[in-house]
Every structure is written in structure tokens, then in C-alpha cells.
Amino acid sequence: MRWLALVLLVWSALAGAAIDAYGFHDDAERDRFQALTRELRCPKCQNQDLADSNAPIAGDLRREIQRLMAAGQSDDEIITYLEQRYGEFIRYRPPFEGRTLLLWLLPGLGLLGGAGLLIALTRRRRPTPGLSETERQRLAALQAEEES
């Protein structure tokens, strides 16, 4: 039984060591830190933000962000600093400017194009022609037969 307690104690110590602990002065500072780490992408994982990534570089960047915040830098200054080191790819939402215009507008243009194509295809369908006089007479005869 003592071995089990020892194993659980060692396991819990190791699990606790993996958690980053940051000291914040207030809730607003913690919220700011969380917003920044959610807005920035992990350079290694590429599809995870810094807050969710377990990669060592993500941990380093979280500590760097906390250090820069403690040094009094604004969010824009921190993002600019990280962009200079890791490129624009570190941002989940690139800035809206000339060279990223297509990236921002492409989803809307795709939806508009798809809607236009759908409208064009539905209007292109030919309406079924009406019945000829012979067919109407035949239909009326069949209906009369069915009723009697």
C-alpha cells in the first residue's frame, strides 16, 4: 500500500511540474495574458494557439509574453515583437491590408460565387412544357375512366 501512495505522490509531483504558473497582479492582467496567448499561434504546432499548445516553444513564448507584460509593454508592442521574431504567421488573424486583402475577402467572394452559381443553375433549367391538346384529352379520358 505504501508503494501505491509513493507512486501517486511522485506522479502528482510530475504532473504539477508541467503546469505553467504565472504571477499576475489582478484579474485584468490575467485576462490580457490569456487574450494574447489565444490570439497568437504556436510556431511549432501551427494550428494551435499558444494557450493550448504543449510544445516547449509555446511555453517559452508564454513566459516571454508574461515578461514583456511585466515590463510594461502594450499588446501591440508584444505582438510586433513576436512578429519580428517569428513572422506574420504567428498571428491567427493577419492585419487587414493590401497584401492580405484576398485572404480576408476570399471566403465572402466564395460564398457569393457559390450563390450566383446556384441561382444560375436553377434558372437555367427548362420548364416542362405544357400538355398538348391530344394529351389533355387523353388525360381527361383517363381521369373519367378512373372516376367511374
Side-chain angles (χ1 to χ4, degrees), residues 47-61:
N47 62 348
Q48 279 186 315
D49 56 36
L50 290 177
D52 292 335
S53 176
N54 290 328
I57 187 133
D60 293 343
L61 288 175

Side-chain angles (χ1 to χ4, degrees), residues 85-101:
R85 286 187 82 185
Y86 298 99
E88 253 183 28
F89 184 75
I90 201 160
R91 294 181 101 173
Y92 264 123
R93 293 174 301 176
F96 189 75
E97 54 188 29
R99 65 178 186 205
T100 61
L101 193 61

Side-chain angles (χ1 to χ4, degrees), residues 39-128:
E39 185 176 334
L40 298 168
R41 183 189 319 259
C42 174
K44 183 176 181 183
C45 304
Q46 297 184 358
N47 62 348
Q48 279 186 315
D49 56 36
L50 290 177
D52 292 335
S53 176
N54 290 328
I57 187 133
D60 293 343
L61 288 175
R62 287 190 296 265
R63 284 186 290 279
E64 184 69 12
I65 289 170
Q66 200 270 336
R67 184 189 68 75
L68 293 170
M69 284 175 57
Q73 292 195 8
S74 70
D75 292 358
D76 289 337
E77 290 171 330
I78 293 170
I79 291 171
T80 301
Y81 171 77
L82 292 174
E83 275 184 343
Q84 289 172 351
R85 286 187 82 185
Y86 298 99
E88 253 183 28
F89 184 75
I90 201 160
R91 294 181 101 173
Y92 264 123
R93 293 174 301 176
F96 189 75
E97 54 188 29
R99 65 178 186 205
T100 61
L101 193 61
L102 188 61
L103 179 66
W104 279 99
L105 297 179
L106 198 57
L109 292 174
L111 283 174
L112 287 175
L117 181 64
L118 185 63
I119 290 170
L121 289 175
T122 56
R123 287 188 179 181
R124 189 186 215 183
R125 289 186 180 175
R126 295 184 189 137
T128 56

